Amino acid sequence: MPFKRHVEIGRVALINYGKEYGRLVVIVDVVDQNRALVDAPDMVRMQMNFKRLSLTDIKIDIKRIPQKKTLVAAMQEADVQGKWDKSSWGRKLVVQKRRASLNDFDRFKLMLAKIKRSGLIRQELAKLKKESAS
Amino acid sequence: MAVGHVPARARIMGRDWPGTKSLRAWRSGPVSRRINNLVSGGARGFRRATPSPPPEAKMKTILSSETMDIPDGVTIKVNAKVIEVEGPRGKLTRNFKHLNLDFQLIKDEETGKRKLRIEAWFGTRKTSAAIRTALSHVENLITGVTKGYRYKMRFVYAHFPINASIQNSNKSIEIRNFLGEKKVEMLEGVSVVRSEKVKDELVVDGNDIELVSRSCALINQKCHVKNKDIRKFLDGIYVSEKGTILTEE
């Protein structure tokens, strides 16, 4: 019930609005009550409103406003990208992206696959029902 | 989460983020164009003599919190701002949903005691003040459930004695010979008793301090004198002592 993900120096966040949508960044400093200084290995350091950030569980160990190379080194050490790709949130985003980029033929194939899969599930369910009824 | 509502089928790829389509449509749409024309219309446009200054922003404290110890012999349950306290004298609940605070039970640190911690994130002066009052309310729940509350009231009369009889198995009191007959019902869980050894005294007992004190107030208010100088007509039933049932030395 209490807050677990705090805004702190080193907290990894996901940008959820704006030009940088979908990017993982590290909070490197807090400007004021509403804004943070945010940095990532492949981006110029910039300020962002907290409302544009979704905090993640990942946190790295850095001092206030580190140099770019220290930041990159710390991120490599903490394996931020690896942890993100393994986390359920990171994996879900990949799936959402894939689903949004389907064309009509892909959706057709998806429909067939779903039908086939639910057919198999129904068969197994019928078998189990028969066993429990008898 | 996001600044705007994130639709389910968002365009995640590319430079567009959820909400850009509607944002662009709004910005170049007919309504927005008319508003722009009005605002920049000059003499014909919508004019304000001087724009009203924005109100002063209140200072917000990032985090203010307080903790309190929970004594042994009392079990506390905290769930969604509803506090339940159970002890030897019974069970009490209190709902703090009107406050914007976080309640949590902390496990023992080195001392080995359970604590209740109340936090206010980005609170104004008033919300930070509410932390301590919430703690006091919980403290009252705990003493109510361990020691109970006993309020004593005395009859005060100049000449004509006030007659009071307890009815309904200590649940209601009937007052006679005081500006007519008055009947007062006690609230739930509260009992009244006529004190034996002391003359003209009532003892009001209960677990919940709010209910006990309110019952005393009901008795007191029934005996208010109307249309007279109250500095002279001092008769009535007044609370003389506020204490607990079990007293520890």
Side-chain angles (χ1 to χ4, degrees):
Chain A
M1 221 235 69
F3 291 96
K4 289 204 204 83
R5 300 173 186 164
H6 296 278
V7 167
E8 49 200 333
I9 295 174
R11 174 68 56 182
V12 174
L14 183 73
I15 301 183
N16 58 34
Y17 182 91
K19 213 155 72 83
E20 308 283 335
Y21 182 88
R23 201 198 270 276
L24 271 185
V25 287
V26 178
I27 293 177
V28 136
D29 196 7
V30 170
V31 175
D32 63 11
Q33 197 191 307
N34 296 321
R35 288 178 298 163
L37 192 60
V38 127
D39 204 356
D42 56 344
M43 151 180 132
V44 176
R45 203 188 287 152
M46 58 194 273
Q47 60 95 20
M48 284 219 118
N49 194 318
F50 286 123
K51 291 190 179 178
R52 293 193 174 196
L53 298 173
S54 301
L55 304 177
T56 64
D57 286 327
I58 311 170
K59 182 179 182 300
I60 64 177
D61 194 17
I62 50 172
K63 294 216 192 304
R64 209 188 117 225
I65 318 183
Q67 291 192 331
K68 200 68 164 212
K69 53 180 188 200
T70 1
L71 176 68
V72 173
M75 285 182 84
Q76 299 283 46
E77 208 197 304
D79 191 22
V80 168
Q81 197 56 41
K83 283 197 197 140
W84 176 248
D85 295 331
K86 269 187 280 171
S87 73
S88 56
W89 188 354
R91 285 181 287 139
K92 267 191 277 181
L93 281 191
V94 175
V95 171
Q96 282 175 10
K97 194 167 171 178
R98 177 86 181 93
R99 287 201 181 145
S101 69
L102 291 176
N103 64 30
D104 188 51
F105 186 40
D106 290 329
R107 272 178 263 130
F108 176 72
K109 288 188 276 184
L110 183 67
M111 174 186 76
L112 294 182
K114 276 192 181 172
I115 291 173
K116 187 166 183 179
R117 182 227 222 176
S118 60
L120 290 173
I121 293 176
R122 281 233 208 94
Q123 279 181 357
E124 290 297 317
L125 183 63
K127 275 191 221 159
L128 287 174
K129 274 197 190 159
K130 216 162 128 184
E131 276 173 36
S132 70
S134 62
Chain B
M1 185 182 111
V3 171
H5 158 67
V6 182
R9 274 182 292 134
R11 283 236 337 254
I12 300 169
M13 296 193 313
R15 274 182 249 117
D16 273 342
W17 64 96
T20 38
K21 209 170 174 184
S22 49
L23 190 69
R24 289 208 195 103
W26 160 253
R27 286 227 180 107
S28 60
V31 181
S32 188
R33 255 184 273 126
R34 291 181 85 175
I35 293 179
N36 275 335
N37 285 339
L38 283 175
V39 169
S40 57
R44 286 221 176 165
F46 177 64
R47 235 193 302 142
R48 278 205 198 100
T50 36
S52 49
E56 280 289 313
K58 292 210 186 111
M59 177 190 153
K60 298 209 176 152
T61 310
I62 298 179
L63 172 62
S64 42
S65 71
E66 245 196 79
T67 55
M68 74 176 264
D69 286 324
I70 300 172
D72 311 311
V74 175
T75 48
I76 291 198
K77 261 185 244 160
V78 171
N79 184 20
K81 296 197 262 193
V82 173
I83 311 263
E84 242 182 52
V85 182
E86 194 164 352
R89 289 188 61 95
K91 195 162 151 195
L92 288 175
T93 41
R94 191 144 177 170
N95 188 336
F96 290 107
K97 283 185 187 280
H98 54 91
L99 296 173
N100 211 354
L101 303 171
D102 290 337
F103 290 77
Q104 56 184 128
L105 287 174
I106 300 187
K107 275 312 146 93
D108 346 272
E109 23 162 88
E110 291 103 35
T111 51
K113 274 244 168 196
R114 282 174 73 217
K115 290 182 188 244
L116 174 72
R117 190 185 153 107
I118 302 184
E119 295 177 326
W121 293 91
F122 293 106
T124 51
R125 199 178 145 88
K126 286 203 191 148
T127 53
S128 303
I131 297 177
R132 188 70 207 273
T133 60
L135 275 182
S136 303
H137 285 313
V138 174
E139 238 176 80
N140 288 340
L141 290 178
I142 293 177
T143 55
V145 127
T146 50
K147 297 191 211 146
Y149 282 100
R150 173 166 287 168
Y151 277 32
K152 296 194 185 150
M153 308 180 79
R154 301 294 299 272
F155 300 169
V156 175
Y157 51 88
H159 179 262
F160 293 107
I162 302 176
N163 287 341
S165 67
I166 316 281
Q167 295 171 342
N168 244 28
S169 73
N170 293 352
K171 281 281 177 180
S172 76
I173 187 170
E174 199 176 322
I175 303 167
R176 267 176 255 106
N177 207 26
F178 187 90
L179 304 173
E181 286 201 3
K182 315 206 186 268
K183 180 149 187 203
V184 186
E185 275 263 351
M186 294 296 112
L187 300 167
E188 218 188 280
V190 178
S191 65
V192 228
V193 167
R194 196 85 198 256
S195 180
E196 312 92 24
K197 295 188 187 134
V198 183
K199 183 167 100 101
D200 294 333
E201 190 183 55
L202 285 177
V203 176
V204 184
D205 284 342
N207 277 351
D208 191 350
I209 192 177
E210 307 270 326
L211 298 179
V212 168
S213 52
R214 205 157 99 223
S215 308
C216 293
L218 289 172
I219 300 174
N220 182 15
Q221 287 193 325
K222 277 286 187 193
C223 302
H224 280 179
V225 183
K226 311 275 181 220
N227 299 328
K228 297 280 176 296
D229 187 357
I230 55 170
R231 301 170 302 177
K232 185 71 188 168
F233 290 80
L234 298 166
D235 291 22
I237 305 181
Y238 298 95
V239 176
S240 64
E241 192 193 315
K242 300 182 183 179
T244 54
I245 301 178
L246 292 175
T247 47
E248 277 159 81
E249 314 309 306

